[in-house]
């Protein structure tokens, strides 16, 4: 008979059993379910709701089940619907009727919420570590090639010369915000729902704070109905993950372009590429492509969960069981992507000369030529027009700006002197962009220092999180 079978006079249709069951995916949360039950039983005894002896038999039974699951000796049953009833049923089989006392003052509605909070909280500290690890990879690559100049792009057209390190650090700083968003998700995940019961609280004299303290939660949910219905922390996680994946997808796009024959700015390590079954010459950037592709499924999970929750009346509805598969898949996708990305970046070869050589044949220094005229007193708008004409002239002559003679420069403005050639050399263009956060060597040097400080701050945060890990 089902744990809830009392009022039923018929067996559940097998199709319905299969359709409503969640054990195939929520079995992942066995550790959290058992930890939550141990904390609950301990609290029940402390509050005099269970005898101390009863609680200790229950707790020992739960620990044995944990050992069985970890040894692969536990078989999960679809007929027992979910992880909560699989474990409770087995507990009663092992220790007898006293096992049935564990569910006093509790419902699966607050139990599943507790498990999911615990599960996600543990994963968040791991994901935080992986973000930091990827930031370290960006920092390492930047540092290894700290003086390399490359074209910077807007509209995917050559724009101004930049340091390759500056480009890498841009990704580092995106991840700083991802880490910040993770902190907010953590804050809302670190809330304890148990004791909400089915929706209205319980008639028993429980101590919710005691349960929260045992499990290291920062806060207890204020409102029992909110506690069992809230999936904001999952939505926030999926939003955080979507933005993070969007960032990885952007760098993927650049990696894919840069490794093409058209750019040849980088070469990915053989260990991080795959070949073609027909074209023997191919070496494809599959990791970057797949990360870009997997971004789609994470966005999808966010949309799915927003849609699941949008029409739901309070409090628990079975629709909420749909929260888990997307959550778990997102956790797996994000962790895998972050991990494989860090190793790919560290092993990729930077073709420094190709990056810098690309600038020899373009007009990336045009803004510097205009800035030169501004320092000689010309209003910027006029300087812009002068340089625009010079560029058109150079293109017609099949030249670049650096090929023009002083006489040719002077045709466009009498303000040009011999020092113009130095002013438009790429090294000068880079070192002159010395405003805070700019691409000059000194500013990028400062940016490295700030990045290292961020990594230290993030470590302090992670140390706080891991204290709460089961
Ligand atoms: N498996 C369920 C879920 O994941 C657990 C809660 C079930 N509660 C209920 N009243 N049927 O949401």
């Amino acid at each position: 008979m089902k744990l809830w079978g009392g009022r039923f006079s018929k067996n559940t249709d097998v199709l319905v059993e299969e359709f409503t069951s969640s054990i195939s995916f929520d079995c992942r949360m066995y550790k959290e379910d058992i930890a939550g039950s141990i904390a609950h039983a301990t609290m029940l005894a402390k509050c005099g709701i269970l005898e101390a002896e009863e609680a200790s038999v229950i707790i020992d039974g739960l620990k044995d089940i944990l050992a069985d699951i970890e040894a692969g000796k536990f078989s999960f049953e679809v007929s027992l619907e979910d992880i909560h009833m699989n474990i409770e049923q087995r507990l009663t089989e092992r220790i007898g009727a006293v096992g049935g006392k564990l569910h006093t003052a509790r419902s699966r509605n607050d139990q599943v919420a507790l498990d999911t909070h615990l599960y996600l909280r543990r994963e968040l500290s791991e994901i935080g570590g992986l973000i930091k690890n990827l930031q370290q990879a960006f920092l390492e690559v930047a540092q290894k090639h700290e003086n390399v100049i490359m074209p910077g792009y807007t509209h995917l057209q050559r724009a101004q010369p930049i340091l390759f390190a500056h480009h890498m650090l841009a990704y580092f700083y995106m991840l700083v915000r991802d880490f910040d968003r993770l902190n907010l998700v953590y804050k809302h995940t670190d809330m304890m729902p148990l004791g909400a019961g089915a929706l209205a609280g319980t008639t028993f004299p429980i101590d919710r704070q005691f349960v929260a303290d045992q499990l290291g939660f920062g806060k207890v949910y204020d409102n029992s109905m909110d506690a069992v219905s809230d999936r904001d922390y999952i939505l926030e996680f999926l939003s955080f993950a979507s933005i993070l994946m969007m960032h990885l997808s952007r760098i993927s796009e650049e990696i894919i372009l840069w490794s093409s024959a058209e750019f040849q700015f980088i070469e990915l390590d053989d260990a991080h590429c795959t070949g073609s079954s027909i074209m023997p010459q191919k070496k494809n950037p599959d990791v970057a492509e797949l990360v870009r592709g997997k971004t789609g499924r994470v966005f999808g999970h966010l949309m799915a969960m927003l849609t699941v929750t949008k029409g739901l009346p309070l409090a628990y509805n079975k629709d909420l069981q749909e929260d888990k598969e997307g959550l778990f898949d997102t956790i797996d996708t994000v962790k895998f992507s972050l991990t494989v990305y860090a190793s790919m970046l560290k092993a990729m070869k930077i073709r420094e000369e190709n990056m810098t050589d690309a600038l020899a044949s373009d007009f990336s220094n045009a803004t510097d030529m205009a800035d030169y005229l501004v320092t000689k007193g010309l209003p910027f708008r006029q300087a812009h027009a002068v340089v625009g004409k010079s560029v058109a002239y150079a293109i017609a002559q099949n030249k670049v700006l650096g090929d023009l003679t002083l006489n040719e420069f002077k045709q466009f403005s009498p303000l040009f002197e011999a020092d113009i050639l130095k002013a438009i050399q790429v090294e000068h263009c880079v070192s002159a962009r010395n405003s805070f956060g700019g691409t000059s060597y000194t500013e990028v040097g400062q940016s490295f220092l700030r990045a290292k400080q961020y990594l230290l701050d993030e470590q302090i945060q992670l140390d706080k999180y891991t204290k709460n890990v089961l």
Side-chain angles (χ1 to χ4, degrees), residues 37-72:
S37 287
I38 291 176
H40 181 64
T42 308
M43 180 278 290
L44 291 177
K46 180 229 157 212
C47 295
I49 303 165
L50 285 188
E51 300 291 335
E53 179 52 28
E54 292 171 330
S56 100
V57 171
I58 288 173
I59 291 168
D60 287 347
L62 288 167
K63 287 183 178 159
D64 289 345
I65 291 173
L66 179 62
D68 278 1
I69 296 176
E70 298 207 309

Side-chain angles (χ1 to χ4, degrees), residues 20-22 25-26 29 81-84 107-109 112 231 316-324:
T20 55
S21 139
S22 54
F25 47 89
D26 66 14
M29 305 194 297
E81 203 174 314
D82 55 26
I83 186 65
H84 326 295
S107 150
R108 274 185 299 150
N109 299 349
V112 72
R231 296 296 183 272
Y316 179 85
N317 299 271
K318 186 78 168 187
D319 314 45
L320 292 175
Q321 182 169 287
E322 285 292 304
D323 63 359
K324 284 170 212 65

